[in-house]
Amino acid sequence: MPTRILPAVGDPDAARAVATLLGQLPDAEPAPPVPDSTQLVDALARLAAESLDALPEVVLVHERIGPVPALDLVREVALRFPAVGVVLITSDTGPGLLSAAMDAGARGLVPLPLGYEELAGRVQAAAQWSAGFRRHLGGATAELVAGPGGTVVTVSGAKGGVGTTLTAVQLALAARAAGRTVALVDLDLQSGDIASYLDVQFRRSAADLAAIADISPRVLQDAVYVHETGLSLLLAPAEGERGEEVTDRAARQIVSALRARHEVVVVDCGSRLDSANAAAVEMADTALLVTTPDVIAVRAAKRTVRMWERLQVRKAEATVALVNQYARSTEIQPALVQKITGTRIAGVTVPAAYKELQAVVDAGRLHELDARSTVKQALWALAGELGLTGPPATPAPGKQLARAGDRGSLGLRRRGGGR
């Protein structure tokens, strides 16, 4: 059986060199190189949605791949697609990088400049490991086609005051009420309000995980607050300036750690874009953008979507827009929002009914919102539309609100110029 190989090489000259050598390998079936991390993960996700057998046995990751750094990309591929053998191509073969690559999940290193014997040996070893792993799984492979972990939904606001945190909290509560294990993360790092909405006082926050290279279950447990509703809360720091400690790399590790231990992860990204919440939006299965049906908010939503596209965070068509504070008499209808922003529009609109919310918001008891509330009913219906209230399942081909766009990282594209 031929060994299917998918190389991820950003540099055109290096891509040609890799393709030439792969073409010389016996029993090899190399795919054309993909130029960046976004296309690699998207390609693997599409193949995984078909079946385990559609995935390549070996993925080659070049050290100069971008926008996600090579080691972070190795870690994501190894976590999400554990039946794929990942090999890192690098000019640094020292013990430090070797240890870091193994910790990330790589099955080997190939030194630069490339040599036929070394490449053939590493590819063969990774392919044998992949084949053995798949045989060992047997009938359990369906559960591991797309790797371990749950669904990640990010909730971002077109601007402040459109209902981002309200939406995130209610989506998380709906998933929890359906029996799912749920983490609710506040990545509105300078002005997050989840703690206020749920009447929580807790000294730990996402900033306490920022400097930790490997987030173990014990470390994560110490940073998470288990709310009376059963939600696992990871809060924004009480001191807003500490939000700068949470980099894009830290955000990826935090979201990955939570995804590995919960069926649903809902991330409140606020209305301000920084490297941390950009990384979360990039990783998400569903990126929700909340707007209100007024000119200022819709223009802000369009600016946000265009900025995400420019920074390779997410494509417009891979973003789901939610219209909040909606009334039938509103001149701006959901179809117009979809046309202006280029996003997909949620099938649910949330009515303008602040009087239903005022008492529980002021009391910090948003989880006690009456079940008869039209706002709650709309947001819980949205949770069903997003697949957060159904039984855990492997994403199927054509899933309406699944990841479908280019993804990247604001922090990585702007690393040289700060945040």
Side-chain angles (χ1 to χ4, degrees), residues 38 42 67-68 154 156 252 269 273-284 287 304-316 318-319 403-414:
T38 295
D42 285 346
V68 175
T154 55
S156 305
R252 282 194 187 88
C269 292
L273 186 66
D274 57 29
S275 61
N277 55 41
V281 172
E282 171 259 320
M283 294 178 69
T304 298
V305 169
R306 298 295 175 264
M307 180 166 57
W308 284 359
E309 289 190 317
R310 289 194 304 272
L311 297 172
Q312 295 184 13
V313 173
R314 204 172 190 92
K315 284 185 175 180
T319 303
R403 172 187 295 133
D406 280 356
R407 303 167 302 147
S409 168
L410 170 67
L412 295 166
R413 289 177 61 80
R414 300 178 59 189

Side-chain angles (χ1 to χ4, degrees), residues 81-117:
F81 312 99
V84 174
V86 189
V87 176
L88 178 64
I89 302 174
T90 176
S91 56
D92 180 4
T93 55
L97 182 67
L98 177 61
S99 176
M102 296 302 105
D103 289 343
R107 305 307 307 173
L109 301 183
V110 176
L112 290 170
L114 287 173
Y116 175 84
E117 295 296 336

Side-chain angles (χ1 to χ4, degrees), residues 167 171 288 320 322 346-348 377-387 401:
T167 301
L171 290 178
L288 194 66
V320 181
L322 171 69
V348 173
Q377 290 173 3
L379 289 173
W380 284 40
L382 175 65
E385 182 181 330
L386 299 178
L401 298 177

Side-chain angles (χ1 to χ4, degrees), residues 14-231:
R16 282 192 292 272
V18 170
T20 299
L21 280 178
L22 290 178
Q24 300 173 13
L25 298 182
D27 298 323
E29 190 178 288
V34 293
D36 57 48
S37 58
T38 295
Q39 294 191 37
L40 173 64
V41 175
D42 285 346
L44 291 173
R46 286 193 297 270
L47 294 170
E50 296 176 16
S51 70
L52 176 69
D53 292 335
L55 284 169
E57 284 77 24
V58 180
V59 165
L60 298 177
V61 175
H62 193 275
E63 65 178 359
R64 292 198 298 273
I65 196 70
V68 175
L71 283 179
D72 287 344
L73 181 59
V74 168
R75 182 177 292 105
E76 182 171 0
V77 172
L79 175 66
R80 294 191 56 208
F81 312 99
V84 174
V86 189
V87 176
L88 178 64
I89 302 174
T90 176
S91 56
D92 180 4
T93 55
L97 182 67
L98 177 61
S99 176
M102 296 302 105
D103 289 343
R107 305 307 307 173
L109 301 183
V110 176
L112 290 170
L114 287 173
Y116 175 84
E117 295 296 336
E118 192 71 25
L119 179 62
R122 295 302 179 191
V123 166
Q124 183 180 17
Q128 290 174 348
W129 175 88
S130 175
F133 183 84
R134 299 180 194 201
R135 285 195 303 270
H136 177 72
L137 289 177
T141 54
E143 298 178 3
L144 292 171
V145 166
T151 300
V152 176
V153 176
T154 55
V155 184
S156 305
K159 67 181 189 67
V162 297
T164 309
T165 301
L166 166 70
T167 301
V169 171
Q170 288 298 324
L171 290 178
L173 289 170
R176 181 61 191 143
R180 313 293 289 274
T181 55
V182 183
L184 177 59
V185 187
D186 199 341
L187 278 188
D188 186 3
L189 294 166
Q190 290 191 355
S191 52
D193 283 325
I194 284 179
S196 298
Y197 274 83
L198 296 177
D199 192 24
V200 171
Q201 293 183 351
F202 191 58
R203 61 189 179 90
R204 299 288 188 185
S205 73
D208 294 302
L209 298 175
I212 299 174
D214 185 15
I215 302 176
S216 66
R218 177 61 184 273
V219 169
L220 189 65
Q221 181 181 353
D222 289 342
V224 166
Y225 178 87
V226 180
H227 191 256
E228 62 187 79
T229 58
L231 296 179

